[in-house]
Amino acid sequence: GNSVTQMEGPVTLSEEAFLTINCTYTATGYPSLFWYVQYPGEGLQLLLKATKADDKGSNKGFEATYRKETTSFHLEKGSVQVSDSAVYFCALSVRKTSYDKVIFGPGTSLSVIP
Amino acid sequence: DVKVTQSSRYLVKRTGEKVFLECVQDMDHENMFWYRQDPGLGLRLIYFSYDVKMKEKGDIPEGYSVSREKKERFSLILESASTNQTSMYLCASSPRDRNYYGYTFGSGTRLTVV
């Protein structure tokens, strides 16, 4: 079946540190891949996406590359800020007959300290 | 700015009450979803709808029902609220034929059943 695995959290980093959150997936067909971010007390927001192999999604300094050979979509940022503290969800989307089924990973909590 | 609006950010209800959670989107999306989010359990799909008056059970539909009388509105109903339904409820929407689009989420409703 389809599934998403993320690295366990919580992750604590100092401001300006390099961030990597690992994500691997299992899927049939050709899924689209996403990273969502959830700030405290809020809903999820789409952070970035990639729709085919070797695509790179980017937004707000975050990047992730769709690696079909390793079935991975790792999230990276070169220099994190306190305002990046949030929970990050990796997700994939597979096409069904009438809708797109999105499967979310368990989320990785990130805390950035000054 | 396009959005998904959930009618309440916080709700407190008594055991046995009938509870309505409302969600409205202004993006003309065909698909709408209700999730609940609990610590350690991630996001779990309760119900979804891919058209007006259509509904499909998700992974945890027990104790819930839904209504979609208009395209922009998707209501989640707790027929007789119980304490184990205390949770964060998230509504989301997406267009039908673009699985690369991802979901747009509301800000969530934190429901406490006492």
Side-chain angles (χ1 to χ4, degrees):
Chain A
N2 301 313
S3 65
V4 175
T5 302
Q6 287 181 240
M7 63 188 289
E8 294 286 334
V11 174
T12 302
L13 293 174
S14 297
E15 204 165 23
E16 299 184 0
F18 185 86
L19 168 71
T20 300
I21 301 178
N22 290 335
C23 171
T24 57
Y25 68 90
T26 302
T28 54
Y30 302 94
S32 294
L33 301 175
F34 306 85
W35 277 101
Y36 287 84
V37 58
Q38 185 179 32
Y39 299 103
E42 299 290 329
L44 278 69
Q45 302 174 24
L46 181 63
L47 180 60
L48 54 83
K49 63 188 178 188
T51 59
K52 61 183 187 295
D54 300 325
D55 269 2
K56 177 185 283 187
S58 61
N59 186 24
K60 299 181 181 179
F62 292 89
E63 292 183 342
T65 300
Y66 190 142
R67 301 286 188 199
K68 190 170 174 60
E69 64 277 12
T70 55
T71 61
S72 65
F73 193 55
H74 304 321
L75 182 68
E76 297 182 335
K77 187 175 185 183
S79 176
V80 293
Q81 305 301 310
V82 172
S83 57
D84 294 325
S85 297
V87 180
Y88 292 82
F89 293 88
C90 185
L92 65 84
S93 175
V94 293
R95 191 84 182 101
K96 299 291 188 182
T97 305
S98 301
Y99 65 97
D100 303 312
K101 183 175 177 66
V102 174
I103 296 164
F104 291 91
T108 301
S109 176
L110 170 67
S111 293
V112 180
I113 55 176
Chain B
D1 194 18
V2 295
K3 61 173 62 175
V4 174
T5 302
Q6 294 183 231
S7 54
S8 304
R9 291 296 301 272
Y10 300 94
L11 275 179
V12 180
K13 297 292 182 180
R14 295 194 180 280
T15 301
E17 276 193 80
K18 190 169 187 177
V19 180
F20 293 85
L21 303 183
E22 305 289 344
C23 176
V24 177
Q25 51 96 2
D26 64 1
M27 297 166 284
D28 202 36
H29 285 170
E30 291 81 5
N31 301 330
M32 296 187 75
F33 307 84
W34 276 106
Y35 287 86
R36 63 177 284 177
Q37 183 180 24
D38 301 285
L41 297 176
L43 279 80
R44 294 181 290 170
L45 181 63
I46 305 170
Y47 266 98
F48 64 96
S49 168
Y50 54 84
D51 204 346
V52 176
K53 297 191 185 294
M54 303 300 290
K55 60 184 179 183
E56 295 283 345
K57 293 180 179 179
D59 301 318
I60 52 162
E62 296 78 19
Y64 303 94
S65 63
V66 291
S67 172
R68 191 156 181 211
E69 297 296 319
K70 295 184 178 181
K71 189 175 186 180
E72 67 271 17
R73 185 180 296 270
F74 191 36
S75 302
L76 179 69
I77 304 157
L78 286 65
E79 297 291 342
S80 177
S82 64
T83 55
N84 63 12
Q85 292 178 310
T86 292
S87 185
M88 170 73 110
Y89 290 88
L90 295 169
C91 176
S93 72
S94 72
R96 175 175 298 159
D97 295 322
R98 288 174 278 163
N99 74 327
Y100 54 82
Y101 187 90
Y103 288 2
T104 302
F105 280 86
S107 297
T109 295
R110 185 164 294 281
L111 173 67
T112 302
V113 182
V114 298

